[in-house]
Coordinates of all heavy atoms in Angstrom, one line a residue:
S1 N 67.9 36.6 -28.5 CA 67.1 36.4 -27.4 C 65.9 35.4 -27.8 O 65.5 35.4 -28.9 CB 66.6 37.7 -26.8 OG 65.4 38.1 -27.3
I2 N 65.4 34.8 -26.8 CA 64.3 33.8 -27.0 C 63.0 34.4 -26.5 O 62.9 34.9 -25.3 CB 64.6 32.5 -26.3 CG1 65.8 31.8 -27.0 CG2 63.4 31.5 -26.4 CD1 66.3 30.6 -26.3
D3 N 61.9 34.4 -27.3 CA 60.6 34.9 -26.9 C 60.0 34.0 -25.8 O 60.1 32.8 -25.8 CB 59.7 35.0 -28.1 CG 60.0 36.2 -29.0 OD1 60.8 37.1 -28.6 OD2 59.5 36.2 -30.1
C4 N 59.3 34.6 -24.9 CA 58.5 33.9 -23.9 C 57.3 33.4 -24.5 O 56.7 34.0 -25.4 CB 58.2 34.8 -22.7 SG 59.6 35.3 -21.7
P5 N 56.8 32.2 -24.0 CA 55.5 31.7 -24.5 C 54.3 32.6 -24.0 O 54.5 33.4 -23.1 CB 55.4 30.3 -23.9 CG 56.3 30.3 -22.7 CD 57.4 31.4 -23.0
A6 N 53.1 32.3 -24.5 CA 51.9 33.0 -24.1 C 51.8 32.9 -22.6 O 52.2 31.9 -22.0 CB 50.7 32.4 -24.8
N7 N 51.2 33.9 -21.9 CA 50.9 33.9 -20.5 C 52.1 34.1 -19.6 O 52.0 33.8 -18.4 CB 50.0 32.7 -20.1 CG 48.8 32.5 -21.0 OD1 48.2 33.5 -21.4 ND2 48.5 31.3 -21.4
T8 N 53.2 34.5 -20.2 CA 54.4 34.8 -19.5 C 55.0 36.1 -20.1 O 54.5 36.6 -21.1 CB 55.4 33.7 -19.5 OG1 55.9 33.6 -20.9 CG2 54.9 32.4 -19.0
Y9 N 56.0 36.7 -19.4 CA 56.6 37.9 -19.9 C 58.1 37.9 -19.4 O 58.4 37.2 -18.4 CB 55.9 39.2 -19.5 CG 56.0 39.4 -18.0 CD1 57.0 40.3 -17.5 CD2 55.2 38.8 -17.1 CE1 57.1 40.5 -16.1 CE2 55.3 39.0 -15.7 CZ 56.3 39.9 -15.3 OH 56.4 40.1 -13.9
N10 N 58.9 38.6 -20.1 CA 60.3 38.7 -19.6 C 60.7 40.2 -19.7 O 60.9 40.7 -20.8 CB 61.2 37.9 -20.5 CG 62.7 38.0 -20.1 OD1 63.0 38.6 -19.1 ND2 63.6 37.5 -20.9
P11 N 60.8 40.9 -18.5 CA 61.2 42.3 -18.5 C 62.7 42.5 -18.8 O 63.1 43.7 -19.1 CB 60.8 42.7 -17.1 CG 60.9 41.5 -16.3 CD 60.6 40.3 -17.2
S12 N 63.5 41.5 -18.8 CA 64.9 41.6 -19.1 C 65.2 41.4 -20.6 O 64.6 40.5 -21.2 CB 65.7 40.6 -18.3 OG 65.5 40.8 -16.9
T13 N 66.1 42.1 -21.1 CA 66.4 41.9 -22.5 C 67.5 40.9 -22.7 O 68.3 40.7 -21.7 CB 66.9 43.2 -23.2 OG1 68.0 43.7 -22.5 CG2 65.8 44.3 -23.2
G14 N 67.5 40.2 -23.8 CA 68.6 39.3 -24.1 C 68.5 37.9 -23.4 O 69.5 37.2 -23.3
G15 N 67.3 37.5 -23.0 CA 67.1 36.2 -22.3 C 67.5 35.1 -23.3 O 67.1 35.1 -24.5
D16 N 68.3 34.1 -22.9 CA 68.7 33.0 -23.8 C 67.9 31.7 -23.6 O 68.3 30.7 -24.2 CB 70.2 32.8 -23.8 CG 70.7 32.4 -22.4 OD1 69.8 32.4 -21.4 OD2 71.9 32.2 -22.2
N17 N 67.0 31.8 -22.7 CA 66.1 30.6 -22.5 C 64.8 31.0 -21.8 O 64.7 32.1 -21.3 CB 66.8 29.5 -21.6 CG 67.0 30.0 -20.2 OD1 66.0 30.1 -19.4 ND2 68.3 30.1 -19.8
Q18 N 63.8 30.1 -22.0 CA 62.5 30.5 -21.5 C 62.4 30.4 -20.0 O 61.4 30.8 -19.4 CB 61.4 29.6 -22.2 CG 61.3 30.0 -23.6 CD 60.2 29.2 -24.3 OE1 59.8 28.1 -23.9 NE2 59.7 29.7 -25.4
G19 N 63.4 29.9 -19.3 CA 63.5 29.9 -17.9 C 63.4 31.2 -17.2 O 63.2 31.4 -16.0
V20 N 63.8 32.3 -18.0 CA 63.7 33.6 -17.4 C 62.4 34.3 -17.5 O 62.2 35.4 -17.0 CB 64.8 34.5 -18.1 CG1 66.2 34.0 -17.8 CG2 64.5 34.7 -19.6
C21 N 61.4 33.6 -18.2 CA 60.1 34.1 -18.3 C 59.3 34.0 -17.0 O 59.4 33.0 -16.3 CB 59.3 33.4 -19.4 SG 60.1 33.4 -21.0
L22 N 58.6 35.1 -16.7 CA 57.8 35.1 -15.5 C 56.3 34.9 -15.8 O 55.8 35.5 -16.8 CB 58.0 36.5 -14.8 CG 59.4 36.9 -14.4 CD1 59.6 38.3 -14.0 CD2 59.9 35.9 -13.4
P23 N 55.6 34.2 -15.0 CA 54.2 34.0 -15.3 C 53.3 35.2 -15.0 O 53.6 36.0 -14.1 CB 53.8 32.9 -14.3 CG 54.7 33.1 -13.1 CD 56.0 33.6 -13.7
C24 N 52.3 35.4 -15.8 CA 51.3 36.4 -15.6 C 50.5 36.0 -14.3 O 50.4 34.8 -14.0 CB 50.3 36.5 -16.8 SG 51.0 37.3 -18.2
P25 N 49.9 37.0 -13.6 CA 49.2 36.6 -12.4 C 47.9 35.8 -12.7 O 47.4 35.9 -13.9 CB 48.8 38.0 -11.8 CG 49.6 39.0 -12.5 CD 50.0 38.4 -13.8
E26 N 47.4 35.2 -11.7 CA 46.1 34.4 -11.9 C 45.0 35.3 -12.5 O 44.9 36.5 -12.1 CB 45.7 33.9 -10.6 CG 44.4 33.0 -10.7 CD 44.1 32.4 -9.3 OE1 44.9 32.3 -8.4 OE2 42.9 31.9 -9.2
G27 N 44.3 34.8 -13.4 CA 43.2 35.6 -14.0 C 43.6 36.5 -15.2 O 42.8 37.3 -15.7
S28 N 44.9 36.3 -15.6 CA 45.4 37.2 -16.7 C 46.1 36.4 -17.7 O 46.6 35.3 -17.4 CB 46.2 38.3 -16.2 OG 47.5 37.9 -15.7
R29 N 46.3 36.9 -18.9 CA 47.0 36.2 -20.0 C 47.8 37.3 -20.7 O 47.5 38.5 -20.7 CB 46.0 35.6 -21.0 CG 45.0 34.6 -20.4 CD 45.7 33.3 -20.1 NE 44.8 32.3 -19.5 CZ 44.7 32.1 -18.2 NH1 45.4 32.8 -17.3 NH2 43.9 31.2 -17.7
S30 N 48.8 36.8 -21.5 CA 49.6 37.7 -22.3 C 49.9 37.0 -23.6 O 49.8 35.8 -23.7 CB 51.0 38.0 -21.7 OG 51.8 36.9 -21.6
P31 N 50.2 37.8 -24.7 CA 50.5 37.2 -26.0 C 52.0 36.6 -25.9 O 52.8 37.0 -25.0 CB 50.5 38.3 -26.9 CG 50.8 39.5 -26.1 CD 50.2 39.2 -24.7
P32 N 52.3 35.7 -26.8 CA 53.7 35.2 -26.9 C 54.6 36.4 -27.1 O 54.3 37.4 -27.8 CB 53.7 34.3 -28.1 CG 52.3 33.9 -28.3 CD 51.5 35.1 -27.8
G33 N 55.8 36.3 -26.5 CA 56.8 37.4 -26.7 C 56.6 38.6 -25.9 O 57.3 39.6 -26.1
A34 N 55.8 38.6 -24.9 CA 55.5 39.7 -24.0 C 56.8 40.1 -23.3 O 57.5 39.2 -22.8 CB 54.4 39.4 -23.0
T35 N 57.1 41.4 -23.2 CA 58.3 41.9 -22.5 C 58.0 42.8 -21.3 O 58.9 43.2 -20.6 CB 59.2 42.7 -23.5 OG1 58.4 43.8 -24.0 CG2 59.7 41.7 -24.6
R36 N 56.7 43.2 -21.1 CA 56.4 44.1 -20.0 C 55.3 43.4 -19.2 O 54.4 42.8 -19.7 CB 55.9 45.4 -20.6 CG 57.0 46.0 -21.5 CD 56.7 47.5 -21.6 NE 57.4 48.1 -20.4 CZ 58.0 49.2 -20.5 NH1 58.0 49.9 -21.6 NH2 58.6 49.7 -19.4
P37 N 55.3 43.7 -17.9 CA 54.2 43.2 -17.0 C 52.8 43.6 -17.5 O 51.9 42.9 -17.4 CB 54.6 43.7 -15.6 CG 56.0 44.0 -15.7 CD 56.3 44.4 -17.1
S38 N 52.8 44.8 -18.0 CA 51.5 45.4 -18.4 C 50.9 44.6 -19.6 O 49.7 44.8 -19.9 CB 51.6 46.9 -18.7 OG 52.5 47.0 -19.8
E39 N 51.6 43.8 -20.3 CA 51.1 43.0 -21.4 C 50.2 41.8 -20.8 O 49.5 41.2 -21.6 CB 52.2 42.5 -22.3 CG 52.8 43.6 -23.1 CD 53.9 43.1 -24.0 OE1 53.5 42.5 -25.1 OE2 55.1 43.3 -23.7
C40 N 50.3 41.6 -19.6 CA 49.4 40.6 -18.9 C 48.0 41.3 -18.7 O 48.0 42.4 -18.1 CB 49.9 40.1 -17.6 SG 51.4 39.2 -17.7
K41 N 47.0 40.9 -19.3 CA 45.7 41.5 -19.2 C 44.7 40.6 -18.6 O 44.7 39.4 -18.8 CB 45.1 41.9 -20.6 CG 46.0 42.8 -21.4 CD 46.1 44.2 -20.9 CE 46.9 45.1 -21.7 NZ 47.2 46.3 -21.1
C42 N 43.8 41.1 -17.8 CA 42.8 40.3 -17.1 C 41.9 39.7 -18.2 O 41.5 40.3 -19.2 CB 41.9 41.1 -16.2 SG 42.9 41.8 -14.8
V43 N 41.5 38.4 -18.0 CA 40.6 37.7 -18.9 C 39.2 38.0 -18.6 O 38.8 38.5 -17.5 CB 40.9 36.2 -18.9 CG1 42.3 35.9 -19.3 CG2 40.7 35.6 -17.5
E44 N 38.3 37.5 -19.5 CA 36.9 37.7 -19.3 C 36.5 37.1 -17.9 O 36.9 36.0 -17.5 CB 36.1 37.0 -20.4 CG 34.6 37.2 -20.3 CD 33.9 36.5 -21.4 OE1 34.5 36.3 -22.5 OE2 32.7 36.3 -21.3
G45 N 35.6 37.8 -17.2 CA 35.2 37.4 -15.9 C 36.0 37.9 -14.7 O 35.7 37.7 -13.6
Y46 N 37.1 38.6 -15.1 CA 38.0 39.3 -14.1 C 38.1 40.8 -14.5 O 37.9 41.1 -15.6 CB 39.4 38.7 -14.1 CG 39.4 37.3 -13.5 CD1 39.1 36.2 -14.3 CD2 39.8 37.0 -12.2 CE1 39.1 34.9 -13.8 CE2 39.9 35.8 -11.7 CZ 39.5 34.7 -12.5 OH 39.6 33.4 -12.0
Y47 N 38.5 41.6 -13.5 CA 38.8 43.0 -13.9 C 40.1 43.4 -13.1 O 40.4 42.7 -12.1 CB 37.6 43.9 -13.5 CG 37.4 44.1 -12.0 CD1 37.9 45.2 -11.4 CD2 36.7 43.1 -11.3 CE1 37.7 45.4 -10.0 CE2 36.5 43.3 -10.0 CZ 37.0 44.4 -9.3 OH 36.8 44.6 -8.0
D48 N 40.8 44.4 -13.5 CA 42.0 44.8 -12.9 C 41.6 45.8 -11.7 O 41.1 46.9 -12.0 CB 42.9 45.5 -13.9 CG 44.3 45.8 -13.3 OD1 44.5 45.6 -12.0 OD2 45.1 46.3 -14.0
A49 N 41.7 45.3 -10.5 CA 41.3 46.1 -9.3 C 42.4 47.0 -8.8 O 42.2 47.7 -7.8 CB 40.9 45.1 -8.2
Q50 N 43.6 47.0 -9.5 CA 44.7 47.9 -9.1 C 44.4 49.4 -9.3 O 43.8 49.7 -10.3 CB 45.9 47.4 -9.8 CG 47.2 48.1 -9.4 CD 48.4 47.3 -9.8 OE1 48.9 46.5 -9.1 NE2 48.8 47.6 -11.0
E51 N 44.9 50.2 -8.4 CA 44.8 51.7 -8.7 C 45.6 52.0 -9.9 O 46.7 51.5 -10.1 CB 45.3 52.4 -7.4 CG 44.5 52.2 -6.2 CD 43.2 52.9 -6.3 OE1 43.1 54.0 -6.8 OE2 42.2 52.3 -5.8
P52 N 45.1 53.0 -10.7 CA 45.8 53.4 -11.9 C 47.2 54.0 -11.5 O 47.3 54.7 -10.5 CB 45.0 54.5 -12.5 CG 43.6 54.3 -11.9 CD 43.8 53.7 -10.6
A53 N 48.2 53.8 -12.3 CA 49.5 54.3 -12.1 C 49.5 55.8 -12.5 O 48.7 56.3 -13.3 CB 50.5 53.6 -13.0
P54 N 50.3 56.6 -11.8 CA 50.3 58.1 -12.0 C 50.9 58.5 -13.4 O 50.6 59.5 -13.9 CB 51.2 58.6 -10.9 CG 52.0 57.5 -10.4 CD 51.2 56.3 -10.7
T55 N 51.7 57.6 -14.0 CA 52.3 57.9 -15.3 C 52.2 56.6 -16.2 O 52.2 55.5 -15.7 CB 53.7 58.3 -15.2 OG1 54.5 57.2 -14.8 CG2 53.9 59.5 -14.3
A56 N 52.2 56.9 -17.5 CA 52.2 55.7 -18.5 C 53.5 54.9 -18.3 O 53.4 53.7 -18.5 CB 52.1 56.3 -19.9
A57 N 54.6 55.5 -18.0 CA 55.8 54.8 -17.9 C 55.7 53.8 -16.7 O 56.1 52.6 -16.8 CB 57.0 55.7 -17.7
L58 N 55.2 54.2 -15.6 CA 55.0 53.4 -14.4 C 53.9 52.3 -14.7 O 54.1 51.1 -14.3 CB 54.6 54.2 -13.2 CG 55.6 55.0 -12.6 CD1 55.1 55.9 -11.4 CD2 56.8 54.2 -12.1
A59 N 52.9 52.6 -15.5 CA 51.8 51.7 -15.8 C 52.4 50.5 -16.6 O 51.9 49.4 -16.4 CB 50.7 52.4 -16.6
A60 N 53.4 50.7 -17.4 CA 53.9 49.7 -18.3 C 54.6 48.6 -17.4 O 54.8 47.5 -17.9 CB 54.9 50.3 -19.3
D61 N 55.1 49.0 -16.2 CA 55.8 48.1 -15.4 C 54.9 47.4 -14.3 O 55.5 46.7 -13.4 CB 57.0 48.8 -14.7 CG 58.0 49.2 -15.8 OD1 58.2 48.4 -16.8 OD2 58.7 50.2 -15.6
L62 N 53.6 47.6 -14.3 CA 52.7 47.1 -13.3 C 52.0 45.8 -13.8 O 51.5 45.8 -14.9 CB 51.7 48.1 -12.9 CG 52.2 49.3 -12.1 CD1 51.0 50.3 -11.9 CD2 52.9 48.9 -10.8
L63 N 52.0 44.8 -13.0 CA 51.2 43.6 -13.2 C 49.7 43.9 -12.9 O 49.5 44.7 -11.9 CB 51.7 42.4 -12.4 CG 52.9 41.8 -12.9 CD1 53.4 40.8 -11.8 CD2 52.7 41.0 -14.2
P64 N 48.8 43.4 -13.6 CA 47.4 43.6 -13.2 C 47.1 42.8 -11.9 O 47.8 41.8 -11.5 CB 46.6 43.0 -14.3 CG 47.5 42.0 -14.9 CD 48.9 42.5 -14.7
S65 N 46.1 43.3 -11.1 CA 45.7 42.6 -9.9 C 44.2 42.2 -10.3 O 43.3 42.9 -10.0 CB 45.7 43.6 -8.8 OG 45.2 42.9 -7.6
C66 N 44.1 41.0 -10.9 CA 42.8 40.6 -11.5 C 42.0 40.0 -10.4 O 42.4 39.1 -9.6 CB 43.1 39.5 -12.6 SG 44.0 40.2 -13.9
A67 N 40.8 40.6 -10.2 CA 39.8 40.2 -9.2 C 38.6 39.6 -10.0 O 38.3 40.0 -11.1 CB 39.4 41.3 -8.4
T68 N 38.0 38.6 -9.4 CA 36.8 38.0 -9.9 C 35.6 38.9 -9.9 O 35.4 39.5 -8.9 CB 36.5 36.7 -9.2 OG1 37.6 35.8 -9.1 CG2 35.3 36.0 -9.8
C69 N 34.9 39.0 -11.0 CA 33.7 39.8 -11.0 C 32.6 39.2 -10.2 O 32.5 37.9 -10.1 CB 33.2 40.0 -12.4 SG 34.3 41.0 -13.4
I70 N 31.9 40.0 -9.5 CA 30.8 39.4 -8.6 C 29.5 39.4 -9.4 O 29.4 40.0 -10.5 CB 30.7 40.2 -7.3 CG1 30.3 41.7 -7.7 CG2 31.9 40.1 -6.5 CD1 30.0 42.5 -6.5
I71 N 28.6 38.6 -8.9 CA 27.3 38.5 -9.6 C 26.6 39.9 -9.6 O 26.7 40.6 -8.6 CB 26.4 37.5 -8.8 CG1 27.0 36.1 -8.9 CG2 24.9 37.6 -9.3 CD1 26.3 35.1 -8.0
G72 N 26.1 40.3 -10.7 CA 25.4 41.6 -10.9 C 26.3 42.6 -11.6 O 25.9 43.7 -11.7
V73 N 27.5 42.3 -11.9 CA 28.4 43.2 -12.7 C 28.8 42.6 -14.0 O 28.8 41.3 -14.1 CB 29.6 43.6 -11.9 CG1 29.2 44.4 -10.6 CG2 30.5 42.5 -11.5
N74 N 29.2 43.4 -14.9 CA 29.5 42.9 -16.3 C 31.0 43.1 -16.5 O 31.5 44.2 -16.6 CB 28.7 43.7 -17.3 CG 29.1 43.2 -18.7 OD1 29.7 42.2 -18.9 ND2 28.6 43.9 -19.7
C75 N 31.7 41.9 -16.5 CA 33.2 42.0 -16.9 C 33.4 41.1 -18.1 O 34.3 40.2 -18.1 CB 34.0 41.4 -15.7 SG 34.0 42.5 -14.3
S76 N 32.6 41.3 -19.1 CA 32.6 40.4 -20.3 C 33.7 40.7 -21.2 O 34.1 40.0 -22.1 CB 31.3 40.4 -21.0 OG 31.0 41.7 -21.4
V77 N 34.4 41.9 -21.1 CA 35.4 42.3 -22.0 C 36.8 42.1 -21.3 O 37.1 42.6 -20.2 CB 35.3 43.8 -22.3 CG1 36.4 44.3 -23.2 CG2 34.0 44.1 -22.9
A78 N 37.6 41.2 -21.9 CA 38.9 40.9 -21.4 C 39.7 42.2 -21.3 O 39.6 43.1 -22.2 CB 39.6 39.9 -22.3
G79 N 40.5 42.4 -20.3 CA 41.3 43.6 -20.1 C 40.6 44.7 -19.4 O 41.1 45.8 -19.3
S80 N 39.4 44.5 -18.9 CA 38.7 45.5 -18.1 C 39.5 46.0 -17.0 O 40.2 45.2 -16.3 CB 37.3 44.9 -17.6 OG 36.5 44.6 -18.6
S81 N 39.4 47.3 -16.6 CA 40.1 47.8 -15.5 C 39.1 48.6 -14.7 O 38.0 48.9 -15.1 CB 41.2 48.6 -15.9 OG 40.8 49.7 -16.7
G82 N 39.5 48.9 -13.5 CA 38.6 49.7 -12.6 C 37.5 48.8 -12.1 O 37.5 47.5 -12.2
T83 N 36.4 49.4 -11.7 CA 35.2 48.6 -11.3 C 34.4 48.2 -12.5 O 34.4 48.9 -13.5 CB 34.4 49.4 -10.3 OG1 34.0 50.6 -10.9 CG2 35.1 49.7 -9.0
C84 N 33.8 47.0 -12.3 CA 32.9 46.5 -13.4 C 31.6 47.3 -13.4 O 31.1 47.7 -12.4 CB 32.7 45.0 -13.3 SG 34.2 44.1 -13.4
A85 N 31.0 47.4 -14.6 CA 29.7 48.1 -14.7 C 28.6 47.2 -14.1 O 28.5 46.0 -14.3 CB 29.4 48.4 -16.1
S86 N 27.7 47.9 -13.4 CA 26.5 47.1 -12.8 C 25.6 46.8 -14.0 O 25.4 47.5 -14.9 CB 25.8 48.0 -11.9 OG 26.5 48.2 -10.7
I87 N 25.0 45.6 -13.9 CA 24.0 45.2 -14.9 C 22.7 45.7 -14.4 O 22.2 45.4 -13.3 CB 24.0 43.6 -15.0 CG1 25.4 43.1 -15.5 CG2 22.9 43.2 -15.9 CD1 25.5 41.6 -15.6
R88 N 22.0 46.4 -15.2 CA 20.7 47.0 -14.9 C 19.6 46.1 -15.6 O 19.8 45.8 -16.8 CB 20.6 48.4 -15.3 CG 21.6 49.3 -14.5 CD 21.3 50.8 -14.8 NE 22.1 51.6 -13.9 CZ 23.3 52.1 -14.3 NH1 23.7 51.8 -15.5 NH2 24.0 52.8 -13.5
E89 N 18.6 45.8 -14.9 CA 17.5 45.1 -15.5 C 16.5 46.0 -16.2 O 16.4 47.1 -15.9 CB 16.8 44.3 -14.4 CG 17.8 43.2 -13.8 CD 17.1 42.3 -12.8 OE1 15.9 41.9 -13.1 OE2 17.7 42.0 -11.8

């Protein structure tokens, strides 16, 4: 099988070309060779606004829903999930 390049993933086993690789959603990235949608992680400045999955097995098959952080919140850590922390002065 052929590994997918960075920022893509292939949930099917035994892919023989990179044409089977699926892109990560906007605002997210994955390492080369990603095989699960959950390997796409929101980048700095975005957070995963999706509701948590009820089980770890289901979570592995979910793509992140990366939303842009708004002014006044801190999303400086890539892969943040849930709501971003408010910045207090």
Side-chain angles (χ1 to χ4, degrees):
S1 94
I2 295 175
D3 286 344
C4 290
N7 308 321
T8 64
Y9 68 98
N10 179 9
S12 303
T13 57
D16 60 357
N17 68 67
Q18 291 182 340
V20 297
C21 300
L22 302 171
C24 288
E26 184 177 343
S28 69
R29 304 284 180 263
S30 70
T35 59
R36 302 203 87 145
S38 60
E39 290 182 75
C40 296
K41 303 289 183 191
C42 298
V43 298
E44 183 177 338
Y46 290 81
Y47 71 99
D48 188 353
Q50 185 162 267
E51 293 292 320
T55 67
L58 289 176
D61 293 328
L62 292 177
L63 284 168
S65 178
C66 300
T68 305
C69 292
I70 59 172
I71 295 173
V73 297
N74 180 10
C75 290
S76 61
V77 178
S80 294
S81 61
T83 57
C84 298
S86 294
I87 297 174
R88 295 191 176 92
E89 295 185 42

